[in-house]
Amino acid sequence: MLKVGMLTSGGDCQALNAAMRGMAKTLYNHYKDEVKIYGIYEGYRGLIYGDYRLMQPADFSGILTRGGTILRTSRTPFKDIDEPTEDGLDKVDSMIENYRKMELDCLVVLGGNGSHKTANLLFQKGLNVITLPKTIDNDLFGTDVSFGFWSAVDIATKTIDNIHSTAASHSRVFIIEIMGHKTGYIALYSGIAGGADIILIPEIDYDVKKVADTIRKREAEGKDFTIIAIAEGAVSLEERKLGKKALKEIKGKKSAALRLKDVLLEYGSFEVREVIPGHMQRGGEPDAYDRVLASRLGAFGAKLISEREYGYMAAVSGGRLIKLPLSEVAGRYKTVPLDSEIIRDAKDLSISFGD
Ligand code: F6P
C-alpha cells in the first residue's frame, strides 16, 4: 500500500486543485486500491498539528476548475521554522513525527519559494518529499513557469482592459498596481497584453522624471491618457537611495501605486487615478493554460512517486517536464532577466520602463 500526504502551503493561487486532482487521478489510476492519499489541512500547520484526513477519489472529482485549495492553506514562514509554535511545539519535530505516524511513503508539497525551503529541510531530515511549483509571481527558480501565473496575468490584463476605456474618456493617467512580490513578471506580461504605455518592475529602478516625460510626450502626440502598470515591488531611483531599512519602512506605509502617484504630481499637473486589484489576481478559476499545466505537473509528480524519485520539484524547462533537486530550488529566486527578449521587445513597442 502506497501512502501519500498532500498539502498546499503559502499564498493560494489558481489551479492548486487542478494539480492535486492531476496527481490523485494518476495515482488512483495506477495503484487502484493500493494507494491512500491523505489531505493535510492548511499547509505545514496541518502537518505540525496532525490535522489531516484520508481522501477518497470523489474528493478530487469536480475540482479542476475550482479556484483556491480544497485543503486550505496558511503561511509557516521558514525564517521562524526553528521557533516553537504558540503552544510550544517544535515545528520540525512535530512534522516529522506526524509523517511517521501517518506512515507516509511520500509528502507532496504544493508551494512557492518559502514552502520549498521547508520542503528541502524536511527532505534533508529524511522524509520523502516531492513538490509542485505554485505561485502567481512566477518567481520559483528552475521552472520556466509555475501554475497560477497565467491565470493571474489574465486577470491583471482584464483589469487593464477595463481601465483603458475610462482612462481614455477622461483623459487621465491611471496607475494599476499589479502583484508579483519581488518580481515584475505579472506586471510585464499583463502590461504588454493590456497595452500599458509604461511598465514599472522591481528589476528596473524607475526615474519619475522619465515617467512624467513619457506622459507628456504622449500628450504632445494627441494621446491624452496613459496607462501605467506598476509591479507592487517596483522602486524609484530616489527610493532605492534610501537604503534597505528605510525602503522597507516606506513600502510598509504606502503601496507602489500611491507612492508613484504622490511624486508624479510633483512633475506635472496630471489627473491621476490608481487601481489596486490586489488578491483578485489570485482568485477565481484557473485559465485553460494553468489547468493543463497543473494537471500535467500533478501527473508527472505521481510518476516521480511511483518511481520512488524523491527530493525533487516537478518543473517545466523549454516546454518539457523535468525534475529538479530541491536543494537547487530552495532559497533561490527567479526574477525577470534584464537582457531578456521580452523586455527588448516591449521597448521596441515603445513601452517605457522608466529607465
Ligand atoms: O506570492 C503571492 C502573493 O500574492 C504576492 O504577489 C503578494 O505580494 C503576496 O502573495 C500577498 O500575500 P498575502 O496573501 O499574505 O497578503
Side-chain angles (χ1 to χ4, degrees):
M1 176 66 71
L2 179 75
K3 291 186 181 173
V4 176
M6 242 181 224
L7 63 84
T8 52
S9 165
D12 74 341
C13 72
Q14 301 89 342
L16 279 164
N17 291 326
M20 290 191 276
R21 170 184 175 273
M23 174 170 281
K25 266 187 174 276
T26 310
L27 288 174
Y28 289 134
N29 192 16
H30 287 182
Y31 288 90
K32 313 281 181 231
D33 292 341
E34 288 305 303
V35 61
K36 282 187 175 169
I37 300 177
Y38 293 92
I40 300 165
Y41 290 115
E42 291 179 12
Y44 289 115
R45 198 196 147 278
L47 192 56
I48 294 168
Y49 287 98
D51 186 11
Y52 58 85
R53 86 170 165 86
L54 178 63
M55 307 292 277
Q56 300 302 325
D59 291 320
F60 296 99
S61 198
I63 62 169
L64 174 65
T65 62
R66 200 189 300 172
T69 157
I70 56 167
L71 296 180
R72 303 193 302 277
T73 187
S74 67
R75 294 192 191 275
T76 305
F78 182 75
K79 63 176 171 51
D80 305 330
I81 205 74
D82 290 328
E83 293 190 5
T85 61
E86 278 171 12
D87 34 7
L89 289 179
D90 182 298
K91 290 175 194 153
V92 177
D93 286 353
S94 304
M95 287 195 276
I96 295 173
E97 211 176 288
N98 281 317
Y99 176 99
R100 304 259 181 249
K101 233 189 248 169
M102 293 161 81
E103 298 178 326
L104 293 181
D105 293 295
C106 182
L107 172 70
V108 179
V109 175
L110 288 80
N113 269 307
S115 310
H116 272 80
K117 291 186 201 163
T118 303
N120 185 42
L121 176 70
L122 293 176
F123 177 63
Q124 284 168 350
K125 297 267 181 194
L127 307 196
N128 297 330
V129 183
I130 73 135
T131 67
L132 302 182
K134 73 88 225 187
T135 168
I136 63 165
D137 302 333
N138 200 29
D139 58 357
L140 259 171
F141 182 85
T143 185
D144 293 347
V145 66
S146 49
F147 53 84
F149 172 63
W150 277 108
S151 302
V153 169
D154 285 349
I155 294 170
T157 303
K158 258 262 153 324
T159 308
I160 300 173
D161 288 350
N162 288 347
I163 292 304
H164 243 115
S165 55
T166 176
S169 306
H170 286 265
S171 306
R172 282 174 173 160
V173 174
F174 264 89
I175 305 173
I176 304 159
E177 184 176 301
I178 310 290
M179 272 188 170
H181 199 41
K182 293 179 189 164
T183 80
Y185 277 106
I186 311 176
L188 178 60
Y189 281 81
S190 63
I192 294 172
D197 310 295
I198 300 169
I199 299 176
L200 305 174
I201 58 175
E203 289 82 352
I204 303 173
D205 293 347
Y206 66 87
D207 182 340
V208 187
K209 187 177 172 305
K210 292 206 170 136
V211 173
D213 287 346
T214 304
I215 299 170
R216 268 192 288 267
K217 185 169 168 279
R218 282 178 55 76
E219 285 173 354
E221 291 166 351
K223 299 165 187 169
D224 290 335
F225 70 96
T226 297
I227 304 282
I228 306 175
I230 184 169
E232 62 180 349
V235 165
S236 71
L237 288 169
E238 292 304 311
E239 290 173 340
R240 184 71 68 195
K241 282 186 203 148
L242 297 172
K244 264 192 176 171
K245 202 169 159 236
L247 188 55
K248 200 174 168 195
E249 241 169 64
I250 61 159
K251 277 181 164 182
K253 284 190 189 137
K254 245 182 204 173
S255 77
L258 291 170
R259 297 197 317 269
L260 172 59
K261 183 180 174 182
D262 282 355
V263 283
L264 200 52
L265 292 174
E266 292 169 16
Y267 284 82
S269 54
F270 310 116
E271 195 178 350
V272 186
R273 296 285 187 276
E274 74 286 342
V275 173
I276 305 179
H279 290 77
M280 278 181 63
Q281 293 159 95
R282 273 187 6 210
E285 59 182 35
D287 69 1
Y289 180 93
D290 275 340
R291 291 178 202 181
V292 175
L293 176 65
S295 301
R296 290 188 65 209
L297 283 167
F300 186 78
K303 195 172 137 240
L304 293 181
I305 297 172
S306 309
E307 291 166 358
R308 309 289 187 263
E309 295 257 33
Y310 302 126
Y312 293 104
M313 174 178 85
V316 186
S317 175
R320 306 200 55 187
L321 300 188
I322 58 157
K323 61 181 201 290
L324 210 72
L326 288 177
S327 56
E328 280 183 32
V329 180
R332 294 171 84 176
Y333 206 70
K334 187 176 78 181
T335 53
V336 180
L338 292 181
D339 58 355
S340 59
E341 286 184 12
I342 187 151
I343 294 210
R344 197 200 58 208
D345 296 344
K347 286 187 172 177
D348 281 346
L349 291 165
S350 79
I351 294 171
S352 163
F353 285 82
D355 61 342

